[in-house]
Amino acid sequence: MKQDNTVAQGSTGPANRTPSPIGANEPKTLTVPAAGKRYFDLGRNASYEAAKRGDLPVIRFGSRLRVSIAALERMLANAGRKDD
């Protein structure tokens, strides 16, 4: 019996993939303690208190809280600017 060794042409090949944007594999959110530590050198409890006060932009998924890196960096970029 003769085998057919041809490969089917499909959309999974590298030529058909859409390139990912730069940083696509980087996380878009951080845990509250990780964000507090990385951006403000806060401990775990202080980070959760900052989130509770609204000083960290949090997203709630059920009982889990995550900090959006984009929102946090926007917030920091606008810190100290006066509203007109």
Side-chain angles (χ1 to χ4, degrees):
M1 179 186 265
K2 187 174 180 181
Q3 286 185 331
D4 184 9
N5 290 330
T6 59
V7 178
Q9 297 288 330
S11 63
T12 59
N16 295 331
R17 283 193 193 145
T18 303
S20 298
I22 296 174
N25 293 330
E26 296 296 319
K28 306 296 186 234
T29 63
L30 295 170
T31 63
V32 171
K37 185 67 171 172
R38 180 184 291 182
Y39 286 90
F40 303 106
D41 198 28
L42 298 175
R44 181 181 184 277
N45 291 339
S47 297
Y48 280 109
E49 286 296 321
K52 185 177 179 180
R53 286 191 309 268
D55 294 338
L56 290 176
V58 295
I59 302 167
R60 182 176 293 277
F61 293 100
S63 63
R64 294 179 186 249
L65 293 177
R66 299 291 291 191
V67 177
S68 165
I69 293 172
L72 180 57
E73 289 184 350
R74 261 194 317 273
M75 181 187 82
L76 291 173
N78 293 326
R81 292 187 184 174
K82 291 186 178 185
D83 293 331
D84 290 329

